[in-house]
Amino acid sequence: MPTLPPGRRRPLSPGSRAGLGAALVLLAVVSAVELADPKTADFVGLLAAVPFLAAVFAFWQTVLVVGIVATVVGMAFVGAAGPITVAGMVNLLGILLATGIAGAVATIRQRQADRIAELQRLAAVAQQAVLRPLGPQVGSLAVAGRYISATAAADIGGDLYEALDTPYGVRIIIGDVRGKGLDAVRLASIVLGSYRHVAYERNDLKAMVTDLDRAVARSVGDEDFVTAALVEERGGTLTIVNCGHPAPLLLRRGQVIPLEPPAPAPPLGFMPEVKARVERLEPGDRLLLFTDGLGEARREGEFFPTADRAWRLLGHGTVGDGLASLETALVDWVHGRLEDDIALVLLEYAGPDDGATMPMPSWEVGAAGS
C-alpha cells in the first residue's frame, strides 16, 4: 500500500469533508440553541452525536479533533450555566465516551477501506495479466480491444480476447465463459493460457479448437462451456472458426456483412466439430469481434442496432477511435445500465506487405523435404 512522505498528512477525501461538515453543522446548531438560553445546559448531551457524524466518513484523527472540540464547547456551556451538576458531568462524560467509540469505529472503517482499495489494486493487476492490452499493431493488422464491465465493482468477468502474431499469421480469439464471478475469471484465464500456447504450435485452427476444448473440459462441470470465435489472417486470407459465438461483422466499403459459419458448432467443452469460413480481405476492411453482451444490450425492450450503426461508428478514424465511439453510443443507448459484460475487438487490414515473408517454423523444416 502506498504511504505518504514523512511530514505530509493524508488529504481529506470528499466523503471526509462531508462527514466533517455535517459534524460542524450539528455543533453550530447545538451551540446556537445553548447561546439562546445560556442559563441552562439542557442540550449539551446532543454534542455526543458530533464525533459519530464525523466517523461516518472521516479519518480517526479528524474524529478525535472534532470530539475534543465538542467536549470543550460542552464544558463551556455547562460552566456558564452555573454550578456543575451531576447531569452536566454525565453529559460531558458522554461526549468523551462517544468520541472514543467514534474514533475506534473510524479506525476499523478506514482499515476495511484500505483493504478494499488494496484488493481493487490487485484485481487490476490480475486483469492486466488475464486480458493484456491489444495493439495497436499485430502483424499486418491494426488491432484494438475494449472490455466494458456491467458492474462498477469489477473490471473483468468471463469475457476474453487475445491477438498474437504467430508463424502461421495473426491469430485472434474472442470468447465468453458461461457464468459470472471468480469461477468465470478462472476459466477465462485457463482458456487464454491454453490459447497462448497452442496458437504458436498448431498450424490449423481446427486443431487449436480441439486443444482448447480439452482444456475447457478438464476445468469445468457438465453444464459449463465457453463460446469462442478464432480468427486467422495469413497473407490477406481470413479464416474463421466459430464455436457457438456471435458471428463477426465485416465492414467493407460502407457495408456490414455478418460472417456466419458454414455450419453451427457447439461451444468449447462440448467437443465442437467446426467448419472454417474463408474470406479474401481487401485493403481497408475492418472486422468487429464481440461477445453476446453487445447483442443483448437493450433499452425498453429495444436492442442496440449494432449492424445498422456499425459502419457509422467503426468505419472511420483509428480502430481505437472506432471502439471508443461504439462504447459511447452503447452506454448512451442503455442509459448506463448493461446487463452483461462486453468484450470488443476491432481489426483493420491495411493490405499486403510486399517486403514481408512468413518464416517456416523450425519444427517443420525437416518435414518440408520429406
Side-chain angles (χ1 to χ4, degrees), residues 193-260:
S194 299
Y195 172 79
R196 288 162 182 160
H197 175 70
V198 301
Y200 290 96
E201 293 196 348
R202 300 290 183 258
N203 62 357
D204 182 77
L205 292 183
K206 295 181 181 179
M208 290 177 56
V209 168
T210 301
D211 290 340
L212 293 175
D213 178 70
R214 290 172 181 169
V216 171
R218 287 193 297 263
S219 307
V220 300
D222 295 336
E223 297 182 357
D224 295 323
F225 57 84
V226 180
T227 68
L230 279 70
V231 177
E232 177 186 277
E233 184 278 321
R234 190 187 319 201
T237 298
L238 187 71
T239 306
I240 304 173
V241 294
N242 197 316
C243 305
H245 199 76
L249 299 180
L250 176 63
L251 284 69
R252 173 178 292 169
R253 299 193 299 272
Q255 294 183 328
V256 179
I257 307 167
L259 299 183
E260 299 287 349

Side-chain angles (χ1 to χ4, degrees), residues 79-242:
I84 298 179
T85 63
V86 174
M89 288 297 299
V90 169
N91 285 334
L92 294 176
L93 291 175
I95 298 172
L96 287 174
L97 180 61
T99 300
I101 296 174
V105 170
T107 301
I108 296 173
R109 178 190 52 76
Q110 188 58 43
R111 287 177 180 174
Q112 292 176 339
D114 291 342
R115 180 172 176 80
I116 292 173
E118 178 68 9
L119 291 175
Q120 289 176 337
R121 187 186 68 81
L122 293 175
V125 174
Q127 178 187 9
Q128 293 176 0
V130 176
L131 286 184
R132 300 183 300 199
L134 298 185
Q137 191 76 23
V138 181
S140 58
L141 299 177
V143 181
R146 212 169 187 89
Y147 196 102
I148 308 173
S149 178
T151 61
D155 293 329
I156 186 174
D159 293 12
L160 58 99
Y161 54 71
E162 180 62 288
L164 301 172
D165 188 8
T166 75
Y168 307 105
V170 178
R171 287 178 164 176
I172 304 100
I173 186 175
I174 189 164
D176 189 359
V177 176
R178 177 185 179 272
K180 298 181 182 295
L182 292 178
D183 288 339
V185 176
R186 179 185 62 84
L187 184 53
S189 67
I190 291 174
V191 173
L192 285 173
S194 299
Y195 172 79
R196 288 162 182 160
H197 175 70
V198 301
Y200 290 96
E201 293 196 348
R202 300 290 183 258
N203 62 357
D204 182 77
L205 292 183
K206 295 181 181 179
M208 290 177 56
V209 168
T210 301
D211 290 340
L212 293 175
D213 178 70
R214 290 172 181 169
V216 171
R218 287 193 297 263
S219 307
V220 300
D222 295 336
E223 297 182 357
D224 295 323
F225 57 84
V226 180
T227 68
L230 279 70
V231 177
E232 177 186 277
E233 184 278 321
R234 190 187 319 201
T237 298
L238 187 71
T239 306
I240 304 173
V241 294
N242 197 316

